[in-house]
Structures are given as structure tokens and as C-alpha cells.
Amino acid sequence: MRIFEITGSQVAEHDALAPLALPGACQNGYLWLSLTRDEFRASLADVQGILQTLCGTQLVDLHVSDLLNDQLPSHYDYTSQYDVLVFRRLAAASHAAPLADETPKARSGPPVLRRVDTRPVGFAVFDRVLLSVHPEDGAVRDVYAAKLMAAARGDRTDTTAPALDVRAISARVPTGPADLMLRVVNQIVDAYLALRRELTRQLDHWQAELIDPRSRFTNWSALMEARQSLHHLDEICEDQRSAVQDWIDAMETLPTPEAAAEIRERELIMVRSRDVLEHIERVVHHVRRLEQNAEAAVQMHFSVQSHRANDIMRVLTVLTAIFLPLNLIAGIFGMNFEFIPLVHTAAGFWIAMGAMGGIAVALVVLFWRKRYLARTAR
């Protein structure tokens, strides 16, 4: 469990809540309680007690089940005291373990698609507490925690920390739990956007093989699995967009605050929410474009193969048409009649061969001028 106390522009991390004065911990700021799924399951009673002390309420049983569910799609729900957002990660993880219901065959597609982790991250947003439940690696939590600490220090030159987003290290740290949750969600979406180049390179390589008429493409099973993976990613992104849109709709129905500072904070949250939604739409657009490119490459492959088969059949048909009169002449002179013109003539053989050669040349010239034997442009 990682616990951050955020007050103004100050961020302090605590190993445990014991040293904190719980009744006053959120008086001037708010807390970020970040746990892995196993930690949340093991310390559920303690977390519920903390929420009861700080917020005067606890998570309902169904929301606890949602936060513990490793297969739940992205969705949004709410109560009068808090909001729950489950958001599936779309991040590259070279060491990501397969999900419980995945077989090795289900993840035997392209390497870049095998490294796409789609496990959910759950958020419970209270007025002064953000509870986040992460997969066991906690990569998103750790990366953003480093950004948050750097933002609090105003450290823009720390070479040991990961590359930081300009918005993440601005002088202003998240103003509240909702703002913090949206920044973490935005990082999740941007992590998938970083995979665009590698995804595009993988599918472009297959497209080049599919369109090349001299290539014998045999990797059909991997291509079909890649298309299924992209379709699955499309569904995940749609769920993400629906969840964030539901969050925005719920925020718009809240009564307008009276204080100018609260109005400003609400506007900033709405702006950041729309920014997250725009990033998700970019992901959806990119995934659908990759799906369309894969489908177009397959169609072009079969179109090229069909065109090549038509060229072969045309050449064979022309050759058959050329040899038909030659076979007719050979058949006539092969008849078992005693009296056949040119049979008893010394030059009869050469006359027949010359006539057959002349007919063949004339047919070749005729078919060439009609472009039946023209070479297809490459």
C-alpha cells in the first residue's frame, strides 16, 4: 500500500496511516490510498475503517466486488457519497502475465499485440480521498507517483526519474481526488498511444507481404489473431469512452458551486475530463484504422491473386487457341486415306510445316495486337 497526503503543492508519502491524525488528515488537503488488488483484498477491513473515519461512509459490497474483479470492463457508477470508475489499462508490458482465462494459443499473435496489457484499474473518488486499486505490478501507480513527487518538488531536471510530462510537472499538483484520478487515467490512455508506431510497423510489414505478388504469405493464423486482438481493443476502448462519458454526464448534472474557487476547480475537472475523452477517441480512431488497413490488405491480396490467376488463364487460353488450327492440320494429315493432297509430294512435309508455322505466327501477332498477350504493368 502506498499512501500520499497532498496539501496544496506539498506531497508527502507515508508507509502506513498509523502516524497520521486521521480526523485532520484531509482538513486542508486530501489522501491518495493506492493498493494492489491483493493488498486491497487483504486489508479491506482497514480500508473501510479509514474511509468511515475520513469520509463518514464505506464502499458498498458491489463496488468492492467491482474493484476486486480482474475481468471487469471499463464502467462508471456512483453513490451520493462517492464515484467509482473502473478503467482497463492499455499499456505495453513486456513481462505481462497472461490473464487467468487466457490460453497460450489466445496470445500467440504478433509480439506487439501480445504485450498489450488490458487489466482493470479501479478508482473510488470521495470528496477528500482517492482510493485506487491496481493490478499486481502497480506500474501505473508507481510511474505517476514519481511524477507527482517531482511536481511537488518542482524538479524538472531529475535524470533518474522517468521522462516526465510537462503537464505532470507543472507547478500545480492535482487539486483534488477527481483531478488526480483523471491524470492517472490520462496516463493510462497515453501509454497505449505510445504503441501506435510499433503496431503500425507490424501491420505494414504484413501488408507489404500480402500485396507483393511474388511473396507466398502463409502467416494467416497470426493475421487472423491480430485482427481479433484489434477488434478486442476496439471494444475495450469503446467501454473506456462510455465510462468517461458517463462520468462527464454525471459531473454536468451536479449543482453549480457558489464559491468562485470551487467553480474554477469544477471547470478544470471538466476540461481535463474532455481531454481524456479526446485521447480515448484518438485511440479508438487508430485501432479502427489498423483494423481497416488489415482488412484492406487481405482484400488486396486476394485481388492480386485473382488477377494473377486471370493472367495465367488468359495466357493458357491464347496458347490453346494458337495450337487448335495446328492440331486440326495435324489431324487431317494423320487420316488413314490413300489419297491425301501433298502426301506423295516430296516437298509436302515442308509445305505443311510452313503453313502451320505461318498460321501460328499470324495468330500470335493477332493476339498481341489485341493485347491478349500484353504484360501486366508491375
Side-chain angles (χ1 to χ4, degrees), residues 131 227 377:
L131 172 65
R227 291 176 60 191

Side-chain angles (χ1 to χ4, degrees), residues 71-92:
Q71 305 298 324
L72 196 68
S74 301
H75 82 285
Y76 167 74
D77 198 5
Y78 64 94
T79 68
S80 60
Q81 300 293 326
Y82 64 90
D83 299 315
V84 172
L85 180 70
V86 176
F87 202 85
R88 293 192 71 88
R89 285 174 41 180
L90 289 177

